Amino acid sequence: MANVLVRGATYLRWVYLLLGAALVLAFILVDSGLASLVDGLELPGVLQAIFTVLIAVVPPLVLGTLPAVREVEGIAVESLLGVRFEERPLGPSRTWPQRRRTTTWFCLHLAAGGFVGVLSTIVVGFGAVLIAAPFRSAGRRELMPGVHYRITGGWLDLWMPLATIAAVIGLILLSAGIGALLASAAPRLLGPTPAERIELLERQTATLAERNRLARELHDSVGHALSLVTIQAAAARRVLATDPAFAETALAAMETSARAALADLDHVLGLLRDDRRPGSATAPQATLGNLTRLVEATRAGGITVSVRRTGDLEQLPAAVSREAYRIVQEGLTNAIRHAGRPAGEVSVDLLINLDKSGLLLELTNPVSPGATDQSGGGRGLAGIRERVAVLRGTVEAGLVANRWRLAVTLPVAVTTLSSSARPSPERPSAERSSFEEG
């Protein structure tokens, strides 16, 4: 009991109940004005009684159905009763079931608040009189019409302040108990129902999934572009005096990579904006059809990239082709970042094979003997695994004989394969030779 008396939550709950009492007083004032109108109509006794009941009941019920009541009550319940709802902040009532539950809660608040408000008025009002009684002259006093008490002027008068203290403690404990009952009922009446909770979880899951998708897009596209720009800038700085032509080529490649990164960034930010600009959310995303541009941009940084393609990649579904492009992009980025060698000594072998067993993406590159295994850190491989998991594929990544190997298999339903499909190797462009000479 002592803990209840000293806890701040006890008095906050008392304040919440007194707010209900204040609302009851406001309704009484409104009802009094409406009742005076009914008295002036000189209706029969039965009709007058019906109107009196309607006047007392209808205003709280009507007010409780207002959408904003749930929002206001939610704020008061969280701050004064200490309840934490799953939906934060608690929004207005959107459906009639929510409005019915909010109205029930509102009427319960009024009933509990009115009861505690009456008791508080009695205890505080009479308590002030009884506490002051021992300091008054002896005699018979009237506490209220029909209720008297006697002041003897001796120590026996101490029962009056002691009774007042006991009444105040009892009022506090009663208010704490009623507040605890309201706090336990609030989530059921103001909070979401099981169906609404499932809908809320689905919205939250969809939001988290979209955020993860956008994070992967930013990491793979912008991260890859920044890695290329960093390598190209370093290469241009080293050969600026000895090979201006290559430096100019590297600067042009940096511009191309930066423009591509800005386009991808604008696309992702367009998805995040509330005021989406026309076309920003529907901008086409890169697919394996854009692989040549990606490879050329990587080669412009001095990286040797050898590509072998088997199968008709145009048969791939658009979603699979987009994810495959991002996987290859991230694989090239990892090769650039973690090879442990200068850019001019980094080479990547890329194999893309499409057949009836599915789509195989394999990237291998040599790494320095002291290079660390990349499979345990960073967001790159985690993003690849997330993409592959969505498509129900498999990922293999690790060091094999001083070579880093990333192999991704994606199941694809391909009914017909082009019989003329043959591996088409792509060799490093002239920029690679220029870099070696510089």
Side-chain angles (χ1 to χ4, degrees):
M1 184 179 72
N3 291 336
V4 175
L5 294 177
V6 299
R7 263 196 325 225
T10 299
Y11 300 96
L12 289 177
R13 290 176 174 177
W14 192 5
V15 170
Y16 179 78
L17 293 170
L18 292 180
L19 289 177
L23 291 173
V24 170
L25 180 60
F27 279 118
I28 290 176
L29 294 177
V30 174
D31 294 343
S32 300
L34 296 176
S36 63
L37 296 178
V38 175
D39 291 338
L41 297 177
E42 297 182 357
L43 297 174
V46 176
L47 289 178
Q48 188 169 355
I50 293 175
F51 274 108
T52 301
V53 172
L54 291 176
I55 289 171
V57 172
V58 170
L61 294 179
V62 172
L63 186 61
T65 59
L66 297 179
V69 172
R70 182 173 184 261
E71 191 171 11
V72 174
E73 283 285 351
I75 295 174
V77 168
E78 283 193 335
S79 58
L80 298 178
L81 293 186
V83 177
R84 292 294 177 264
F85 296 101
E86 297 179 28
E87 179 187 352
R88 299 186 65 188
L90 206 63
S93 302
R94 298 180 180 87
T95 62
W96 279 108
Q98 280 186 344
R99 293 182 182 183
R100 285 195 295 269
R101 295 198 309 274
T102 302
T103 301
T104 302
W105 172 264
F106 186 64
C107 293
L108 188 62
H109 184 193
L110 293 179
F115 175 69
V116 172
V118 171
L119 288 181
S120 299
T121 302
I122 293 174
V123 170
V124 174
F126 292 168
V129 175
L130 293 178
I131 287 178
F135 304 100
R136 302 175 68 181
S137 58
R140 190 168 180 267
R141 307 288 180 178
E142 184 179 56
L143 185 62
M144 58 181 296
V147 178
H148 298 81
Y149 66 98
R150 181 175 297 278
I151 300 175
T152 63
W155 62 270
L156 292 177
D157 294 336
L158 291 177
W159 74 267
M160 289 180 279
L162 291 177
T164 299
I165 294 174
V168 171
I169 294 175
L171 175 63
I172 294 173
L173 294 177
L174 180 62
S175 300
I178 295 176
L181 291 176
L182 290 178
S184 64
R188 291 190 290 272
L189 292 177
L190 290 178
T193 62
E196 293 168 347
R197 191 176 294 111
I198 292 175
E199 182 182 355
L200 178 62
L201 289 175
E202 289 176 346
R203 291 201 303 268
Q204 292 175 346
T205 302
T207 301
L208 290 176
E210 181 66 11
R211 287 179 179 176
N212 287 335
R213 187 183 72 82
L214 296 178
R216 288 197 302 268
E217 293 293 330
L218 280 176
H219 179 276
D220 294 349
S221 60
V222 179
H224 175 78
L226 291 178
S227 298
L228 289 180
V229 167
T230 301
I231 292 177
Q232 291 159 351
R237 180 177 57 82
R238 286 198 300 268
V239 301
L240 182 60
T242 59
D243 193 349
F246 176 77
E248 183 179 356
T249 302
L251 291 174
M254 290 170 56
E255 181 181 3
T256 302
S257 299
R259 289 184 185 277
L262 285 175
D264 288 335
L265 183 61
D266 183 67
H267 168 65
V268 175
L269 293 180
L271 296 175
L272 293 173
R273 294 189 187 101
D274 291 333
D275 53 339
R276 296 179 181 176
R277 293 179 297 176
S280 63
T282 58
Q285 299 185 45
T287 65
L288 287 180
N290 305 103
L291 185 62
T292 301
R293 186 185 67 181
L294 174 65
V295 171
E296 292 300 326
T298 306
R299 287 172 177 168
I303 310 299
T304 301
V305 182
S306 299
V307 182
R308 288 189 300 154
R309 307 184 195 183
T310 303
D312 186 3
L313 300 182
E314 293 183 357
Q315 296 185 28
L316 285 174
V320 177
S321 186
R322 286 195 298 267
E323 296 302 317
Y325 177 89
R326 292 303 187 192
I327 291 171
V328 172
Q329 187 180 51
E330 179 57 30
L332 293 174
T333 303
N334 284 345
I336 295 171
R337 290 177 177 174
H338 304 294
R341 301 183 177 195
E345 300 178 9
V346 178
S347 63
V348 181
D349 294 327
L350 170 61
L351 170 63
I352 303 177
N353 179 57
L354 176 63
D355 55 26
K356 292 183 178 180
S357 63
L359 176 65
L360 171 64
L361 305 172
E362 185 180 72
L363 294 95
T364 60
N365 62 278
V367 296
S368 298
T372 57
D373 195 321
Q374 308 165 28
S375 59
R379 284 293 307 165
L381 284 175
I384 290 177
R385 290 191 174 97
E386 290 173 359
R387 293 179 184 276
V388 174
V390 172
L391 298 176
R392 300 182 181 276
T394 59
V395 180
E396 296 179 10
L399 289 172
V400 180
N402 290 333
R403 290 184 67 86
W404 176 259
R405 177 177 179 269
L406 171 66
V408 174
T409 303
L410 302 177
V412 180
V414 181
T415 57
T416 60
L417 293 174
S418 174
S419 60
S420 62
R422 293 289 184 271
S424 56
E426 295 184 12
R427 294 304 174 190
S429 60
E431 288 85 344
R432 165 63 177 159
S433 301
S434 299
F435 176 79
E436 288 182 336
E437 292 173 2

